[in-house]
Amino acid sequence: MYYPQQSPGIAHKLPTHQHPGQVHDQSPWARHPVYGPANGTQPPTSPAYPLFAHANGTMTAMQHHPHQHIPGPLAHHHHQNSLTHAHFPSPPNGNALQGPHGALGQNGSPGAITAQMMTPHWQQQLLKCEMVRASRSPHHRARASAMAARTVHKAAIPIQNPNAIKPVETNGTTNEVDGSPSTKSQLPSDASPTAASAAADHPSSTVPPVAEITRPTTRKPPANTWQSLDMGGVGIKNIPHTSGLFAFTFLTTLYLNHNALQTIPPEISKLRHLELLDLSGNALAALPPELGMLTSLKELYLFDNQLTTLPPQLGTLHQLQTLGIEGNPIEPSLKMIVQKDGTPALVSFLRDSCPIPGPPPDRQWKHFVGQAEREAMASDPGAETFSVLCYNILCERCATERLYGYTPSWALQWDYRKELILKEIVNHNSDFVCLQEVDNAQYEEYFQKTLAGHGYEGVYWPKSRFKMMSESERRLVDGCAIFYKSSKYTLVEKHLIEFSAVAMQRQDFKKTDDMFNRVLGKDHIAVVALLESKETGTRFIIANTHLHWDPQFCDVKLVQVALLVEEVEKIAHNFARYPPRLPPASSSAVGPAHTPTAGENNASSRPPPVYTDGYKIPIIVCGDFNSVPESGVYEFLSTGSIPPDHEDFLSHVYGKYTSEGLRHRLGLKSAYASLGELPLTNYVPSFKGAIDYIWYSSSNLSVNSVLGEVDPGYLEKVVGFPNAHFPSDHLCIVSEFRVRPPREPPQARPPPVFPESSRAHT
């Protein structure tokens, strides 16, 4: 271990043979008269660590003088450390570098640079470096925190700041030490994260990763009475892979500074909730790439180690505010990035230069019918099957570095992502494709034209705000699209359901303040397509929707899905009244040279089905519902009812919905319900869970198979989507169904006929 230059906090401890001017120049009190002691008194002793000075060519230990550290960084602190006086090496600690790195000016050591770039970014780096160096004594932070938390009994009533925020003591350590990000997140700010996320108008389920506030559905650290652990300065030489430390997944702050560690085990990636990690003052020559999984990190201190480079996997630390690299023989190019543009620039550089990892294994199909039954259905001309793909593709407008700072910039580009999206759709070759977050321009210029070459025709509507925008702005409005195989199905009708417009038409909503304040401001929609099989005459109702994303508006999601189901029921009953399709014309009527196609001739032996009501028609309701399986939305769709006082209404008033409850008779069931739903359909650092579903009418449809989950081993190595292999923050979900034809009403039984012999006995 070495310090590249003389630390400003120890100038007054230099040997007496030093030039007085040099000693004076090194004194921080002389440079800062505002903070200096009054009346020319001597400044307090320097903090920190045992000091060593040159004496006749040898190193001799000097006395250690701990003192109370001045709280908070100095606003304009001009550091001499690693800038001037290169002939004054900072004292080594017990882990001093040996060999060529032990001397200044060799192998690109930052201490060898006598004229470095001084920027606000580097000033902040040096301030925190000195602060960490002052914390080398055993359990320094814990002891300092305990001392600060002690109640001081005085005769007079102490004057207190009524606006001060009391630090929260966790395991003897307060979050105020070292400017912990946990304390910063508690401070009031005009730039509210919630307001920022709302301004972004992101249609996905997640709060933007830059926000401090977490979602109610986000996995929080396990409840515990302490969240900080100080193991600094106690001489730890090794942390085994099986250490119990990695079971403390609730930790948000971990100090391992000033020990004798040479490696950090990759199991540290299990501490996903860490916000501050201090590994300074060790003998680390390399870092595990798994550190990049700690996406909650805001402060990562690596001061005074033997690091010459950084793993590019650290580029996923999109919330990192400080990456402490001073005191390492780090690559000059990496150090220059921090000096010039700060930690975020270095993180971006590492992120975009990180090698692309290997792709995951293909997702496997989960079958609910045996192999023999599948083969029988394939050979049975009367069996009717179809497949549905549902996919939130992440619209181009929202695929920004501000929202997805962990994703390489090239992987966010639409030209890259659209090819992966198209490949996913084409490979599955589904009969019906339901897409959400499709930009108006991308539908017209890309999807409509490209998918037409694969036999698809489409139905599309953008969100309601499309009507109130200029022509150029309309191109960026996203919406929902339904594509279908034009060779197999005929589009009968298409419908747009605007939730706000439908709500305005309800009499029981017109005098509801909550409806105006919470529902009508949202422009979410659903698209419904009524189709008919050209081969069998079977009718299908395909509904595709995208509900509001904000978890604070679960009541709005309930209202939206209730309006959706009501409209689908109305559409289904009207569709059932349509007369059956006319039988195909005979071959003699069309001429001897005409050969009937599959669309012109009913290959099935049964006649076209007759639907007595809308509930007999196969119905698919799919989309991004932004609701987990434990939500009221899922409960309503799966059970058909919820009480009027359901907790997801949040005590708001919505007419009959909150006076009588919600009910429907569609008999819906999730295609993935037999699996207990997928572990995730949306994956970002702040959230991982299932929020996309394919609902089907269980009275006339059955599930043959569904597309399975992503390989868990792959997910353990990525922080979230999108990435090089997954072009959206959502997964596509696919299911294959078989149609159960509507049962014919039983014929009236004839009256019984008794034999003549039975009458003779009466």
Side-chain angles (χ1 to χ4, degrees):
M1 183 64 60
Y2 72 98
Y3 293 101
Q5 304 289 333
Q6 175 62 53
S7 172
I10 60 173
H12 58 283
K13 295 187 178 182
L14 291 174
T16 55
H17 67 266
Q18 295 283 355
H19 191 278
Q22 294 174 333
V23 176
H24 177 74
D25 290 341
Q26 291 291 328
S27 173
W29 297 97
R31 294 193 303 272
H32 299 286
V34 175
Y35 297 97
N39 302 323
T41 58
Q42 292 298 319
T45 55
S46 176
Y49 32 77
L51 302 179
F52 294 78
H54 287 281
N56 300 325
T58 61
M59 302 297 292
T60 58
M62 299 182 68
Q63 185 179 0
H64 173 57
H65 298 281
H67 76 79
Q68 183 67 30
H69 185 63
I70 301 174
L74 300 180
H76 304 286
H77 196 65
H78 179 68
H79 276 268
Q80 301 295 325
N81 180 41
S82 71
L83 295 178
T84 57
H85 302 283
H87 57 286
F88 291 142
S90 294
N93 60 14
N95 300 313
L97 286 178
Q98 303 298 328
H101 294 299
L104 298 176
Q106 297 185 24
N107 295 338
S109 168
I113 304 176
T114 58
Q116 301 187 57
M117 180 185 301
M118 178 54 66
T119 65
H121 302 294
W122 196 244
Q123 287 179 337
Q124 187 72 8
Q125 174 96 181
L126 297 180
L127 281 171
K128 293 189 176 182
C129 179
E130 290 304 318
M131 178 178 59
V132 170
R133 287 173 178 173
S135 306
R136 62 180 294 126
S137 58
H139 307 299
H140 176 89
R141 271 86 165 210
R143 290 186 293 104
S145 175
M147 183 178 298
R150 290 177 182 173
T151 303
V152 180
H153 298 283
K154 295 183 179 180
I157 299 176
I159 300 177
Q160 298 180 349
N161 180 4
N163 297 320
I165 297 178
K166 184 178 179 180
V168 180
E169 183 175 347
T170 54
N171 194 31
T173 303
T174 63
N175 288 334
E176 282 189 356
V177 178
D178 295 351
S180 170
S182 299
T183 302
K184 296 177 182 179
S185 64
Q186 298 172 5
L187 299 178
S189 173
D190 295 336
S192 169
T194 304
S197 61
D201 191 29
H202 189 268
S204 182
S205 65
T206 60
V207 169
V210 295
E212 296 282 349
I213 292 181
T214 56
R215 301 181 51 189
T217 52
T218 302
R219 296 170 300 162
K220 298 180 180 179
N224 204 68
T225 56
W226 53 279
Q227 294 180 325
S228 299
L229 182 61
D230 184 358
M231 300 172 65
V234 294
I236 300 175
K237 296 182 179 180
N238 179 51
I239 300 178
H241 295 270
T242 57
S243 172
L245 171 65
F246 306 125
F248 297 159
T249 56
F250 51 83
L251 288 178
T252 60
T253 304
L254 177 61
Y255 299 105
L256 293 171
N257 56 291
H258 295 98
N259 286 299
L261 296 172
Q262 296 183 353
T263 60
I264 299 295
E267 284 75 12
I268 197 166
S269 62
K270 296 179 180 179
L271 307 180
R272 295 293 180 90
H273 301 288
L274 280 182
E275 297 182 2
L276 187 152
L277 176 61
D278 190 353
L279 300 174
S280 304
N282 285 283
L284 300 176
L287 296 175
E290 288 79 6
L291 272 179
M293 300 298 295
L294 305 180
T295 54
S296 295
L297 275 180
K298 298 178 177 64
E299 305 286 323
L300 177 58
Y301 300 149
L302 306 172
F303 302 117
D304 302 326
N305 279 284
Q306 302 176 18
L307 300 173
T308 58
T309 188
L310 298 172
Q313 287 80 4
L314 297 188
T316 57
L317 303 181
H318 61 281
Q319 298 192 70
L320 199 62
Q321 299 170 4
T322 302
L323 178 60
I325 59 173
E326 168 69 351
N328 287 278
I330 204 77
E331 290 182 24
S333 59
L334 298 180
K335 182 177 180 180
M336 184 64 67
I337 295 175
V338 177
Q339 288 178 322
K340 183 178 179 181
D341 299 312
T343 293
L346 178 58
V347 171
S348 297
F349 171 78
L350 295 174
R351 177 197 65 205
D352 291 342
S353 60
C354 183
I356 301 177
D362 292 338
R363 296 168 64 185
Q364 301 298 311
W365 283 87
K366 304 295 183 180
H367 299 284
F368 301 123
V369 294
Q371 179 65 28
E373 189 175 354
R374 293 200 302 272
E375 293 176 356
M377 284 189 293
S379 59
D380 182 6
E384 185 172 6
T385 62
F386 66 96
S387 56
V388 178
L389 180 148
C390 178
Y391 197 6
N392 182 325
I393 64 171
L394 180 60
C395 62
E396 182 181 8
R397 175 179 61 88
C398 296
T400 63
E401 186 175 340
R402 192 184 74 84
L403 296 179
Y404 301 96
Y406 53 89
T407 304
S409 57
W410 53 265
L412 283 177
Q413 296 300 314
W414 176 247
D415 288 339
Y416 177 83
R417 296 195 303 116
K418 69 180 182 181
E419 298 298 331
L420 293 182
I421 294 171
L422 181 65
K423 180 181 178 181
E424 186 88 34
I425 296 173
V426 172
N427 285 350
H428 291 299
N429 195 32
S430 300
D431 295 304
F432 303 110
V433 176
C434 298
L435 305 180
Q436 304 89 42
E437 288 196 38
V438 181
D439 289 341
N440 189 34
Q442 300 303 340
Y443 173 79
E444 296 177 352
E445 299 173 3
Y446 184 70
F447 287 109
Q448 190 176 32
K449 297 178 180 179
T450 307
L451 290 178
H454 297 276
Y456 287 99
E457 292 183 4
V459 176
Y460 172 80
W461 265 288
K463 290 181 177 178
S464 303
R465 62 176 176 269
F466 173 88
K467 305 172 184 177
M468 300 174 288
M469 291 186 169
S470 63
E471 189 63 31
S472 59
E473 293 174 329
R474 288 181 178 181
R475 295 171 53 82
L476 301 178
V477 178
D478 67 286
C480 298
I482 299 176
F483 293 92
Y484 59 92
K485 285 284 188 179
S486 57
S487 61
K488 299 175 63 175
Y489 303 97
T490 300
L491 178 65
V492 179
E493 282 184 3
K494 58 182 179 180
H495 295 267
L496 169 65
I497 302 176
E498 297 178 281
F499 298 131
S500 58
V502 175
M504 284 292 295
Q505 297 172 5
R506 292 179 59 99
Q507 294 297 325
D508 57 331
F509 284 173
K510 289 188 176 180
K511 295 183 179 180
T512 304
D513 292 339
D514 290 327
M515 179 61 65
F516 284 94
N517 295 332
R518 296 179 67 83
V519 176
L520 297 185
K522 314 296 185 298
D523 64 345
H524 301 83
I525 63 170
V527 176
V528 183
L530 311 184
L531 302 116
E532 190 174 73
S533 172
K534 293 182 177 181
E535 183 178 357
T536 65
T538 302
R539 296 175 182 176
F540 299 93
I541 298 177
I542 309 295
N544 180 21
T545 190
H546 189 183
L547 302 187
H548 186 54
W549 67 270
D550 195 338
Q552 304 297 329
F553 286 80
C554 56
D555 56 317
V556 173
K557 301 178 192 181
L558 262 181
V559 171
Q560 289 178 341
V561 77
L563 294 172
L564 168 63
V565 170
E566 288 181 358
E567 292 301 306
V568 169
E569 285 183 315
K570 294 177 184 178
I571 292 171
H573 289 312
N574 290 332
F575 196 18
R577 297 190 185 102
Y578 290 6
R581 185 195 59 179
L582 294 176
S586 61
S587 58
S588 60
V590 296
H594 180 75
T595 302
T597 64
E600 297 171 336
N601 190 13
N602 187 354
S604 176
S605 59
R606 65 177 185 266
V610 177
Y611 302 99
T612 57
D613 58 60
Y615 300 121
K616 303 294 192 299
I617 302 176
I619 297 175
I620 296 292
V621 180
C622 64
D624 178 2
F625 292 84
N626 280 316
S627 305
V628 295
E630 297 78 22
S631 65
V633 168
Y634 191 98
E635 179 183 348
F636 170 60
L637 290 173
S638 59
T639 65
S641 66
I642 61 170
D645 58 347
H646 194 279
E647 59 181 359
D648 278 12
F649 279 124
L650 303 178
S651 301
H652 294 293
V653 178
Y654 295 109
K656 293 182 179 180
Y657 289 172
T658 51
S659 63
E660 301 177 3
L662 302 181
R663 293 177 180 82
H664 74 79
R665 296 176 55 195
L666 295 180
L668 298 176
K669 187 177 180 180
S670 172
Y672 284 83
S674 298
L675 298 178
E677 299 300 338
L678 288 176
L680 60 90
T681 64
N682 177 231
Y683 185 25
V684 292
S686 59
F687 176 77
K688 179 171 67 174
I691 57 177
D692 304 84
Y693 308 97
I694 300 176
W695 300 91
Y696 67 98
S697 52
S698 57
S699 61
N700 43 46
L701 294 175
S702 297
V703 182
N704 287 343
S705 56
V706 295
L707 184 63
E709 62 182 298
V710 178
D711 178 57
Y714 174 83
L715 293 177
E716 291 178 356
K717 301 176 183 178
V718 297
V719 301
F721 302 149
N723 62 13
H725 306 121
F726 293 89
S728 172
D729 54 344
H730 291 250
L731 294 178
C732 81
I733 53 178
V734 190
S735 180
E736 182 186 80
F737 300 92
R738 64 182 181 275
V739 179
R740 300 206 300 267
R743 295 181 180 179
E744 306 236 346
Q747 296 181 354
R749 297 178 60 183
V753 178
F754 299 99
E756 293 293 335
S757 59
S758 63
R759 296 180 183 179
H761 293 284
T762 57

